[in-house]
């Protein structure tokens, strides 16, 4: 589906709805036509073959009955001999009576046991036929039905039926035989020639035509030999119905039946074009009807598409207006009553959302003004803290330090301790006020973001921490650092706090090893500061960034508890995030991310 959308460049909802709707209608139409065509095609073919098979069964029964009847008539004539001696007069009377009361036999004759014709309705009296097969069969006491022969007198295809004449003692006296033309068979076969191209004919097992072809051509009876698929199927006794090219070179449906005890093959054929003529006409009508339905379906689809896309277009317009800051825009859907109710509800929800955004915008504006006022007060507090609070504090610290210098050892031990506590307290208070000032100014007094080389930043940090590094015998390594858009002063402050903490919270039994790693992740740069210090319990990894929160005794590890809060505020000001992973007694790793604004590693 995605490939189709890309190939046809269907990007808009309007184009996709119309494409999918029309495609669905066409698929239904084509599948209907295909299913109808296939089923009707198969049904037409099956109906034709079944009809031809029924005709073949009727032909088989009729032809076999016709042959059996002719054989029975000759047999009955032969069985009329009532005396022991041959009574030629009786035979002659019987033959004359039979010949005058039937229409099938062209002639009937009687030949004695020597093979001499003693009576014949065809003037063959006196002829000698001892070499004839029918006489030889009769002499053996058997009836005989010949193959189709071309009559010498009529020059028409005929069949000879014969039966022996026996006296009451079952002695051979002669033979009665008769010849029959195939006109009755021809007329019978013509009854099954359906349509303009249907044909029903007989062939023998050698493939020669026995009955006349319906069509004019050089296909003479008993002279033209067929060589078609239906003949081979009949000889092999396989499927009786098939499609093949007949003796006229036409593609036909054909069936066969074996008749006359398998001597003949009755074939029924009809051209395929004629069989499917009605089907093709019905298919054209079906296509026209479905075409009309498809046109109507496409019109309905386009209408439904419009009812869906029209509200969506209004929604899109509303979203664009909102994006431009027009929060007073409302969708007028009073003219979309026919649209789906879900889309109307969506339009109403949009209007409500627009109103909520407008209300929130007013509230946000009010809060922004309050925040600006609060920031102004915070800046004023920073000014007061840096001047009005620090000046008295410096005076107190100076005088306490002066007392310590002048009277150290001249008073009792308690006085020395009190003076020491006062000096220490004033120094810690001054450090706390300085850190608070730094914390409050991270967001208000930060510099404009510029291109900053972090190799230079790290160089400044190492210089500032040079004394602590030498004193702790620390080793600081780093990956190649990038150049990014940042506040250089705050970056120095960030790395200095993290590296300084790594040195401060070192393990007394080993020298600090600190590594600064860097990795690019999508549109961010991931920094890591890893040490081998004392670590802490991972349960406190979120608490560690809160202001004034300390995990260690302040008498052992000096500090105000604001350093990591400053780091978090610096990172967040630059659009990143900071977190920590630690294992008590082993190591700590601080991670923070900074956005990549197009600079690269140098």
């Amino acid at each position: 589906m995605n490939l189709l959308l890309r190939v046809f460049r269907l990007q808009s909802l309007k184009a996709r709805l119309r494409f999918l709707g029309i495609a669905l209608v066409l698929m239904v139409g084509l599948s209907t036509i295909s299913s109808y065509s296939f089923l009707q095609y198969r049904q037409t073919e099956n109906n034709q073959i079944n009809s031809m098979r029924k005709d073949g069964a009727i032909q088989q029964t009729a032809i076999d009955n016709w042959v059996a009847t002719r054989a029975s008539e000759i047999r009955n004539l032969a069985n009329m001999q009532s005396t022991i001696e041959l009574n030629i007069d009786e035979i002659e009377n019987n033959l004359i009576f039979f010949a005058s009361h039937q229409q099938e036999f062209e002639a009937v004759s009687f030949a004695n046991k020597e093979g001499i014709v003693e009576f014949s309705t065809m003037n063959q009296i006196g002829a000698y036929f001892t070499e004839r097969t029918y006489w030889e069969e009769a002499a053996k006491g058997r009836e005989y039905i010949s193959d189709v022969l071309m009559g010498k007198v009529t020059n028409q295809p005929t069949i000879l039926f014969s039966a022996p004449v026996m006296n009451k003692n079952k002695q051979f006296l002669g033979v009665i035989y008769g010849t029959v033309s195939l006109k009755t068979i021809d007329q019978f076969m013509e009854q099954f020639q359906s349509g303009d191209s249907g044909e029903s004919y007989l062939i023998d097992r050698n493939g020669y035509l026995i009955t006349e072809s319906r069509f004019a051509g050089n296909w003479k009876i008993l002279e033209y030999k067929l060589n078609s698929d239906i003949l081979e199927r009949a000889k092999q006794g396989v499927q009786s119905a098939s499609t093949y090219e007949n003796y006229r070179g036409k593609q036909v449906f054909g069936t066969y039946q074996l008749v006359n005890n398998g001597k003949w093959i009755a074939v029924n054929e009809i051209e395929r074009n004629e069989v499917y003529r009605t089907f093709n006409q019905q298919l054209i009508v079906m296509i026209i009807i479905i075409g009309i339905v498809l046109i109507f379906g496409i019109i309905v689809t386009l209408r439904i598409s419009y009812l869906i896309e029209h509200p969506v277009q209004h929604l899109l317009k509303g979203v664009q207006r909102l994006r431009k800051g027009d929060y007073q825009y409302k969708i007028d859907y009073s003219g979309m009553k026919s649209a789906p109710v879900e889309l109307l509800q969506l339009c109403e929800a949009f209007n409500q959302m627009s109103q909520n955004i407008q209300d929130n915008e007013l509230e946000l504006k009010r809060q922004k003004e309050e925040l600006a006022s609060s920031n102004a007060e915070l800046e004023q507090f920073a000014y007061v803290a840096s001047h009005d609070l620090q000046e008295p504090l410096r005076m107190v610290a100076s005088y306490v330090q002066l007392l310590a210098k002048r009277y150290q050892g001249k008073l009792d031990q308690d006085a020395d301790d009190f003076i020491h506590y006062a000096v220490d307290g004033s120094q810690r208070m001054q450090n706390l006020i300085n850190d608070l000032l730094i914390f409050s100014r991270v967001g208000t007094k930060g510099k404009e973001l510029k291109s900053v080389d972090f190799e230079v930043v790290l160089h400044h940090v190492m210089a500032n921490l040079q004394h602590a590094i030498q004193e702790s015998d620390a080793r600081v390594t780093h990956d190649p650092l990038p150049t990014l858009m940042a506040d250089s002063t705050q970056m120095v402050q960030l790395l200095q706090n993290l590296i300084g903490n790594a040195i401060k919270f070192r393990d007394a039994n080993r020298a600090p090893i600190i590594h600064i790693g860097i990795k690019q992740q999508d549109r961010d740069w991931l920094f890591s500061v890893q040490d081998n210090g004392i670590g802490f319990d991972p349960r406190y990894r979120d608490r560690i960034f809160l202001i004034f929160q300390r995990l260690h005794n302040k008498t052992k590890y000096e500090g105000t508890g604001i350093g990591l809060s400053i780091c978090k505020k610096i990172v967040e000001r630059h659009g990143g995030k900071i977190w920590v992973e630690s294992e008590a007694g082993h190591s700590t790793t601080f991670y923070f991310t900074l956005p990549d604004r197009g600079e690269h590693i140098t």
Side-chain angles (χ1 to χ4, degrees):
M1 179 60 69
N2 291 333
L3 179 61
L4 287 176
L5 296 178
R6 289 197 299 270
V7 170
F8 291 100
R9 299 181 180 179
L10 303 174
Q11 303 299 328
S12 66
L13 176 64
K14 177 179 179 180
R16 293 187 179 188
L17 283 175
R18 295 189 175 184
F19 172 80
L20 294 175
I22 293 174
L24 180 61
V25 171
L26 291 177
M27 286 175 61
V28 172
L30 291 176
S31 61
T32 302
I33 292 176
S34 300
S35 300
Y36 170 81
S37 300
F38 176 77
L39 294 176
Q40 195 66 22
Y41 179 90
R42 300 300 300 176
Q43 184 177 1
T44 300
E45 181 177 313
N46 291 334
N47 289 344
Q48 183 62 44
I49 291 176
N50 290 335
S51 175
M52 294 173 71
R53 282 175 174 167
K54 290 179 181 179
D55 291 345
I58 295 173
Q59 289 175 334
Q60 181 185 35
T61 302
I63 293 173
D64 287 346
N65 288 340
W66 181 84
V67 172
T69 301
R70 303 290 82 77
S72 176
E73 290 172 343
I74 295 297
R75 184 186 312 112
N76 291 335
L77 286 174
N79 291 336
M80 286 182 179
Q81 173 64 31
S82 60
T83 62
I84 297 177
E85 300 295 330
L86 179 64
N87 188 345
I88 191 63
D89 294 331
E90 183 182 356
I91 292 176
E92 181 177 344
N93 292 332
N94 290 338
L95 295 181
I96 292 173
F97 179 82
F98 175 76
S100 62
H101 289 82
Q102 58 83 39
Q103 298 179 348
E104 296 292 341
F105 285 90
E106 295 178 338
V108 288
S109 305
F110 171 75
N112 61 25
K113 61 183 180 180
E114 285 80 20
I116 301 173
V117 178
E118 296 191 13
F119 176 80
S120 175
T121 59
M122 293 184 66
N123 298 321
Q124 294 181 339
I125 297 175
Y128 183 70
F129 295 122
T130 55
E131 75 281 4
R132 295 295 179 92
T133 304
Y134 70 86
W135 187 89
E136 294 173 356
E137 291 295 317
K140 298 176 182 178
R142 293 196 294 259
E143 297 179 5
Y144 174 73
I145 302 175
S146 72
D147 292 333
V148 179
L149 305 171
M150 189 62 69
K152 294 182 178 181
V153 178
T154 62
N155 200 30
Q156 294 294 327
T158 60
I159 303 174
L160 185 145
F161 294 85
S162 68
V165 178
M166 301 287 186
N167 61 16
K168 290 184 178 181
N169 295 329
K170 303 300 180 179
Q171 295 174 336
F172 175 64
L173 301 178
V175 58
I176 292 178
Y177 63 92
T179 56
V180 183
S181 71
L182 297 184
K183 290 182 180 179
T184 301
I185 299 296
D186 281 335
Q187 294 172 359
F188 178 74
M189 298 297 283
E190 287 175 359
Q191 297 176 11
F192 297 92
Q193 296 177 351
S194 59
D196 297 331
S197 62
E199 185 177 11
S200 185
Y201 57 88
L202 287 175
I203 57 176
D204 63 19
R205 295 188 69 86
N206 293 322
Y208 288 100
L209 277 174
I210 296 176
T211 56
E212 292 184 356
S213 172
R214 177 182 180 182
F215 303 95
N218 188 26
W219 303 304
K220 294 182 180 181
I221 297 176
L222 298 180
E223 292 184 9
Y224 184 77
K225 184 177 182 180
L226 278 71
N227 185 18
S228 65
D229 178 72
I230 199 72
L231 176 62
E232 297 301 322
R233 288 178 177 274
K235 289 181 178 180
Q236 298 173 13
V238 296
Q239 185 180 1
S240 62
S242 65
T243 302
Y244 58 92
E245 183 178 298
N246 71 353
Y247 69 95
R248 296 184 294 115
K250 303 293 185 179
Q251 288 293 322
V252 297
F253 285 112
T255 62
Y256 74 86
Q257 291 289 345
L258 298 178
V259 298
N260 191 15
N261 295 322
K263 291 182 178 181
W264 302 340
I265 303 170
V267 181
N268 287 312
E269 295 176 345
I270 187 170
E271 292 183 13
R272 287 171 55 90
N273 292 338
E274 183 173 357
V275 173
Y276 293 122
R277 185 181 302 159
T278 302
F279 163 74
N280 292 334
Q281 293 172 350
Q282 293 176 349
L283 181 60
I284 291 173
V285 173
M286 182 70 176
I287 290 175
I288 293 173
I289 294 174
I290 292 181
I292 295 173
V293 174
L294 287 179
I295 293 174
F296 178 75
I298 290 174
I299 293 174
V300 173
T301 298
L302 294 177
R303 177 60 182 170
I304 294 175
S305 173
Y306 172 78
L307 293 178
I308 295 176
E309 69 192 35
H310 188 55
V312 173
Q313 288 176 348
H314 279 274
L315 285 169
L316 179 60
K317 181 180 178 181
V319 171
Q320 292 172 344
R321 295 283 291 271
L322 284 180
R323 186 174 61 182
K324 294 179 181 179
D326 185 4
Y327 303 123
Q328 296 180 351
Y329 178 79
K330 300 293 187 293
I331 297 176
D332 182 12
Y333 56 89
S334 58
M336 307 179 193
K337 300 303 182 183
S338 299
V341 64
E342 291 84 0
L343 291 177
L344 297 180
Q345 292 173 349
L346 188 59
C347 291
E348 176 60 28
F350 174 86
N351 290 341
Q352 186 62 45
M353 180 186 68
S354 177
Q355 183 63 45
N356 292 340
I357 292 176
Q358 185 177 2
D359 295 341
N360 293 337
E361 181 71 12
L362 294 176
E363 177 65 18
L364 185 62
K365 183 178 180 181
R366 183 186 65 79
Q367 292 179 357
K368 185 177 180 181
E369 291 174 352
E370 293 180 355
L371 182 60
S373 176
S374 176
N375 286 337
E377 294 175 357
L378 182 61
E379 290 181 1
Q380 182 64 27
F381 167 77
Y383 177 79
V384 170
S386 61
H387 293 82
D388 297 350
L389 291 180
Q390 286 205 61
E391 184 61 30
L393 183 59
R394 279 196 297 269
M395 184 179 296
V396 171
S398 297
Y399 281 107
V400 170
Q401 290 172 0
L402 183 62
L403 286 174
K405 289 181 180 179
R406 181 171 298 181
Y407 298 104
Q408 182 74 33
K410 295 181 179 181
L411 302 175
D412 58 11
Q413 184 62 40
D414 289 339
D416 289 343
D417 291 340
F418 295 155
I419 293 173
H420 173 73
Y421 293 152
V423 171
D424 182 64
S426 64
Q427 288 178 345
R428 286 192 290 106
M429 177 63 74
Q430 194 167 17
N431 291 336
L432 181 61
I433 292 175
N434 288 333
D435 287 346
L436 281 173
L437 270 174
I438 294 172
F439 180 79
S440 64
R441 290 180 175 180
V442 168
T444 59
K445 297 298 182 179
K447 297 180 181 178
E448 180 182 356
L449 302 186
K450 296 181 180 180
S451 180
V452 174
D453 185 349
F454 274 74
E455 295 281 356
V456 176
V457 169
L458 183 60
H459 177 75
H460 288 309
V461 171
M462 298 294 286
N464 294 341
L465 296 175
Q466 182 178 4
H467 176 71
I469 292 173
Q470 291 177 350
E471 184 182 58
S472 62
D473 197 20
R475 181 161 60 92
V476 181
T477 60
H478 64 91
D479 295 340
L481 301 177
T483 298
L484 302 174
M485 297 294 291
D487 182 334
S488 59
T489 301
Q490 291 185 349
M491 291 299 102
V492 170
Q493 191 173 9
L494 172 63
L495 289 179
Q496 185 169 319
N497 281 354
L498 295 178
I499 296 175
N501 278 353
I503 295 174
K504 181 194 300 184
F505 297 104
R506 62 184 181 272
D507 191 324
N509 298 322
R510 56 178 179 262
I513 298 177
I514 305 165
H515 179 73
I516 301 155
I518 185 71
K519 182 187 297 183
Q520 189 171 16
Q521 294 182 337
D522 296 332
R523 300 184 61 84
D524 292 329
W525 287 91
L526 175 64
F527 288 79
S528 62
V529 179
Q530 184 180 20
D531 63 43
N532 62 340
I534 61 175
F536 61 88
D537 192 330
R539 291 180 298 172
Y540 304 117
R541 60 186 176 187
D542 294 327
R543 174 184 168 188
I544 198 172
F545 292 104
L546 298 178
I547 192 170
F548 300 132
Q549 293 296 319
R550 298 174 56 91
L551 301 182
H552 304 284
N553 193 322
K554 64 182 179 180
T555 58
K556 185 175 181 180
Y557 299 100
E558 62 180 14
T560 61
I562 301 178
L564 290 179
S565 299
I566 294 174
C567 291
K568 184 174 184 292
K569 199 166 186 180
I570 290 174
V571 171
E572 290 176 347
R573 184 207 169 205
H574 284 74
K577 58 182 179 179
I578 186 170
W579 68 96
V580 63
E581 294 180 1
S582 182
E583 184 179 356
H586 290 82
S587 66
T588 300
T589 304
F590 283 90
Y591 297 93
F592 64 91
T593 61
L594 295 176
D596 183 0
R597 295 181 172 89
E599 300 295 336
H600 301 281
I601 293 178
T602 58

